[in-house]
Amino acid sequence: MTAPPRGVLAGTAAEPGVAKPDPLLVVDRVGKAFGGIQAVDVEHLEVQRGVITGLIGPNGAGKTTLFNLLTGFDRADTGTWSFDGRAVAGLAAHRLARRGMVRTFQLTKVLGRLTVLENMKLGATGQRGERLVPALLRPAWRRQEAAIERRADVLLARFKLDAMRDAYAGYLSGGQRKLLEVARALMVEPTMVMLDEPMAGVNPALRQSLLGQITDLADGGTSVLFVEHDMDVVMRISDWVVCMAQGQVIAEGPPSSILGNRAVIDAYLGSQHDEPGLGEQP
Amino acid sequence: MDILVILGDAGRAALGPQAAIYALAAIGLNIHFGYTGLLNLGQVGFMLVGAYGVAITVATFGGPLWAGVLVGLACAVVLAILLGIPTLRLRADYLAIATIAAGEVLRLTYNAGFAQPVTGGVYGLQQFAGSFYATNPISPGSYGVGRLVYSERDLWVMVVGWGAVALATLGLFLLIRSPWGRVLRSVREDEDAARSLGKNVFGYKMQSLILGGVLGALGGMLLAVDTQAVAPNTFNPVVTFYLYTLLILGGAGRVLGPALGSVIFWFLLLFIDSALLQAIGAGYIPAEVLSPSDVGALRFALVGLALVLLLAFRPAGILGNPREMRLEAGAAGTPRRRRKSTQAGSDRERGVAR
Ligand SMILES: Nc1ncnc2c1ncn2[C@@H]1O[C@H](COP(=O)(O)OP(=O)(O)OP(=O)(O)O)[C@@H](O)[C@H]1O
Ligand SMILES: [Mg+2]
């Protein structure tokens, strides 16, 4: 079902750290420890431009932490990474977002006392009215604001949030918040969206449409990196899957190669055996 | 006991210079706290540097009044930057601690012996606003009806003061409904979300701190001009808490909240004051129970009580939007009524099971 332009990874070997034909994001030796535990320890990872990359791994594998490091929300202990050919390690989060690397949060962060529409409009970049002096002069930004609002309305309709347009975002349900966050991230017009569990808590019908949105995005040229626990979803829409465990990339490859991968099975089963707290053989 | 006298006293305070001064400083606080979520507990420090900027420039160095105003504004900007740089990247609590400390440090420094040649120390500075009153276009006399009268001097301060309040309110109104205001409110709601959308959160917080601080300084200048005197102990931390009181009373995060809050605050304060004095004078309250000198303290206790009642029944303030209020931190989007009813529902279920 993968569209031809997204089939570019067909000839790429399924091994951790493998080079991609046209990498958008290149990560090198990025590490982060919290106290005793090494939450992230990624030797080398490349994310291909224009495709959907799924990031999987058991709970606590370091997926969210890796997102936080790459997007500037947390400081890496070591390592460098580049985005779109430019080194971006250490850049402030808002600068990374403006460069086109936009993330959503596993624990949604909607702006409760802003309306749904205001949440959306906030996402647009380069707004003249966001500077202090032009802000006072409505004619200086009214046109742009109207264009932003049209764009927001189109997205809200696509995400089935148009009925909630003028409600405070704080009154949205958990699943609606997830949708709003994804839609809002798209207002930034990102080169790459990084979605942290976008489907969690979204009902099956909306899930279908959200999946459709994500594939449409990739077809439109936006790169997608998403974290997801639902294997069905990962297998269906990913062009490439990366699996993390204990902070490291333990496997990557096309979806079909991941299901039977020994390291992946061990990581998931290992983590399940871990749960009762019995400890694990090294 | 004459209700007209009481109403006259209260009304005079509600519209007088003091109310305009507090309204102006509270508009600044509204930008900080109401719209950006910055817990500035040292707004009085901004008032102090504004007031002394004028007083020192004119009284100590013999400069013109307009230069004093510029100095006061510049001091407020510098203070905001000094406070903001170390704290605005940290959690909200740090700004609160830094601002309350800065206010006190400023007061004590201006009070200190070594500063006396410049600031006048504990005695402060006087008679520096002559040129302000010299430009008063209102002819001498008293204006008003009944007990609600003002001198031409008061009236001139009021015209300038309420004029400034109106301008600041209009400016805030324009800013808040602009995309700039939207970013500010998003910072109040969730900084990280704003950052993830490419907004320079630190920059916006700094703009907010400066803008609100400048309004605080303007309030301080007006206070200095109104009384023709500054002394460090006018600028007690309690002033900041009055500002918070009237801001929350009027409605934080509402454009008209500070102005309305200030008018009501001063009305209540003087109403109680005047009513108590009248009651003592008429013998309704025996002098052994309450002497006229205790009224000053008691009126604040009663105002506090009135505010507690008001906030218990209308927590969003007078202008607040209750729907929005329910979304404050902790409520997590569940309207209170709904929370209560689910609670009641589960109680009922348990009752049935038993
Ligand atoms: N701020 C923090 N302080 C201390 N430890 C942390 C912090 N953030 C994450 N960790 C730890 O780092 C490890 C990786 O956490 P992370 O949230 O990245 O996992 P994840 O792969 O996103 O898991 P999940 O699928 O459950 O969301 C975990 O062991 C977690 O406890
Ligand atoms: Mg996670």
Side-chain angles (χ1 to χ4, degrees):
Chain A
M1 72 171 275
T2 307
R6 285 167 43 203
V8 289
L9 292 171
T12 308
E15 55 195 39
V18 67
K20 308 291 184 314
D22 181 13
L24 175 61
L25 175 68
V26 181
V27 180
D28 271 304
R29 285 181 301 281
V30 167
K32 174 79 183 177
F34 292 111
I37 46 164
Q38 188 71 30
V40 168
D41 182 14
V42 173
E43 243 324 283
H44 185 79
L45 176 66
E46 295 185 6
V47 178
Q48 170 72 15
R49 184 192 305 272
V51 305
I52 301 177
T53 306
L55 179 57
I56 61 169
N59 293 124
K63 307 178 294 292
T64 298
T65 307
L66 180 63
F67 266 32
N68 288 344
L69 299 178
L70 296 180
T71 53
F73 280 85
D74 204 345
R75 201 172 283 275
D77 297 337
T78 59
T80 57
W81 58 101
S82 68
F83 181 72
D84 217 357
R86 293 203 278 179
V88 291
L91 226 55
H94 70 274
R95 292 191 189 282
L96 278 162
R98 287 186 202 166
R99 294 236 180 136
M101 187 157 134
V102 179
R103 59 89 54 93
T104 65
F105 297 89
Q106 180 170 1
L107 300 171
T108 47
K109 293 185 186 293
V110 300
L111 307 161
R113 283 181 288 168
L114 268 61
T115 65
V116 168
L117 182 64
E118 284 177 319
N119 266 268
M120 293 294 287
K121 291 203 278 194
L122 184 72
T125 49
Q127 297 190 44
R128 277 189 288 281
E130 287 185 354
R131 279 175 293 141
L132 185 56
V133 179
L136 284 166
L137 310 164
R138 193 169 158 80
W141 47 266
R142 192 173 45 206
R143 250 288 173 75
Q144 193 186 27
E145 178 86 352
I148 290 169
E149 188 163 323
R150 277 194 297 277
R151 207 150 62 78
D153 277 329
V154 170
L155 276 171
L156 283 177
R158 282 215 329 239
F159 282 81
K160 310 257 189 309
L161 287 169
D162 39 347
M164 307 293 292
R165 182 181 190 267
D166 298 311
Y168 282 122
Y171 286 105
L172 294 183
S173 73
Q176 288 170 329
R177 285 169 194 235
K178 281 278 175 198
L179 293 173
L180 176 58
E181 230 192 31
V182 176
R184 190 177 64 189
L186 298 185
M187 285 297 290
V188 189
E189 301 187 303
T191 315
M192 175 161 92
V193 276
M194 301 170 65
L195 309 173
D196 200 345
E197 304 198 15
M199 314 279 174
V202 178
N203 75 47
L206 269 179
R207 208 172 247 250
Q208 279 307 320
S209 95
L210 188 52
L211 287 180
Q213 303 294 341
I214 293 176
T215 43
D216 285 353
L217 264 180
D219 290 337
T222 307
S223 312
V224 180
L225 177 63
F226 78 110
V227 173
E228 183 53 58
H229 282 295
D230 183 339
M231 280 303 171
D232 262 5
V233 168
V234 175
M235 293 303 141
R236 276 199 12 232
I237 67 165
S238 308
D239 300 297
W240 193 261
V241 179
V242 175
C243 179
M244 284 179 75
Q246 290 165 4
Q248 300 177 335
V249 174
I250 55 162
E252 61 174 304
S256 52
S257 76
I258 289 296
L259 270 186
N261 186 301
R262 192 71 240 166
V264 175
I265 292 167
D266 283 351
Y268 274 90
L269 291 182
S271 80
Q272 269 168 26
H273 290 315
D274 259 341
E275 263 162 29
L278 296 173
E280 198 190 0
Q281 300 295 332
Chain B
M1 204 163 154
D2 186 348
I3 189 72
L4 281 180
V5 171
I6 299 173
L7 286 177
D9 286 347
R12 197 163 62 242
L15 302 176
Q18 198 85 341
I21 291 162
Y22 274 67
L24 205 52
I27 292 171
L29 205 55
N30 200 20
I31 297 177
H32 293 157
F33 175 72
Y35 288 107
T36 325
L38 297 175
L39 196 57
N40 168 17
L41 294 183
Q43 183 70 342
V44 70
F46 287 102
M47 295 174 75
L48 184 149
V49 295
Y52 270 95
V54 167
I56 292 174
T57 306
V58 178
T60 309
F61 296 107
L65 189 65
W66 61 263
V69 172
L70 291 184
V71 168
L73 293 178
C75 288
V77 172
V78 170
L79 178 61
I81 292 173
L82 288 180
L83 281 171
I85 285 175
T87 58
L88 288 183
R89 288 183 205 279
L90 306 174
R91 264 196 354 237
D93 339 19
Y94 292 92
L95 179 74
I97 296 165
T99 47
I100 198 168
E104 278 297 85
V105 167
L106 283 168
R107 184 172 69 86
L108 295 172
T109 310
Y110 280 61
N111 209 359
F114 65 80
Q116 196 156 343
V118 178
T119 65
V122 276
Y123 308 109
L125 299 165
Q126 292 82 27
Q127 303 306 323
F128 40 76
S131 58
F132 175 80
Y133 294 106
T135 57
N136 187 352
I138 304 165
S139 47
S142 58
Y143 299 84
V145 286
R147 296 269 299 189
L148 193 66
V149 288
Y150 299 97
S151 68
E152 83 285 352
R153 188 184 178 286
D154 279 346
L155 216 51
W156 179 221
V157 179
M158 284 160 63
V159 166
V160 173
W162 287 113
V165 169
L167 270 180
T169 303
L170 177 69
L172 185 61
F173 171 76
L174 290 175
L175 282 176
I176 289 310
R177 61 202 268 283
S178 77
W180 185 86
R182 188 161 63 213
V183 179
L184 221 57
R185 288 184 297 135
S186 79
V187 170
R188 174 189 74 191
E189 297 301 302
D190 193 317
E191 294 183 15
D192 280 345
R195 259 186 214 112
S196 77
L197 300 171
K199 311 302 172 200
N200 180 0
V201 170
F202 179 79
Y204 281 96
K205 282 181 170 180
M206 190 58 102
Q207 289 176 37
S208 163
L209 196 60
I210 291 174
L211 208 59
V214 160
L215 287 171
L218 284 173
M221 288 175 201
L222 205 60
L223 179 68
V225 164
D226 178 41
T227 52
Q228 278 272 40
V230 289
N233 292 329
T234 312
F235 300 95
N236 274 315
V238 72
V239 173
T240 305
F241 294 102
Y242 293 159
L243 292 174
Y244 269 102
T245 305
L246 64 88
L247 175 61
I248 292 167
L249 176 67
R254 297 279 134 187
V255 171
L256 288 173
L260 184 71
S262 185
V263 167
I264 294 174
F265 177 83
W266 285 101
F267 185 89
L268 280 180
L269 200 63
L270 267 290
F271 184 91
I272 292 169
D273 195 82
S274 183
L276 285 175
L277 286 176
Q278 291 260 328
I280 295 169
Y284 294 133
I285 302 175
E288 308 86 72
V289 177
L290 186 73
S291 74
S293 58
D294 296 332
V295 166
L298 185 64
R299 66 179 188 173
F300 281 113
L302 289 176
V303 166
L305 183 67
L307 289 172
V308 168
L309 291 176
L310 190 105
L311 293 183
F313 294 105
R314 201 167 166 81
I318 291 168
L319 295 174
N321 174 350
R323 265 186 83 73
E324 194 179 306
M325 185 70 189
R326 284 195 218 104
L327 292 172
E328 298 256 24
T334 311
R336 197 210 261 163
R337 208 162 292 130
R338 192 153 29 115
R339 264 183 294 160
K340 271 192 183 152
S341 63
T342 39
Q343 181 69 36
S346 56
D347 284 349
R348 222 174 298 126
E349 274 162 33
R350 247 178 280 130
V352 170
R354 244 184 276 123

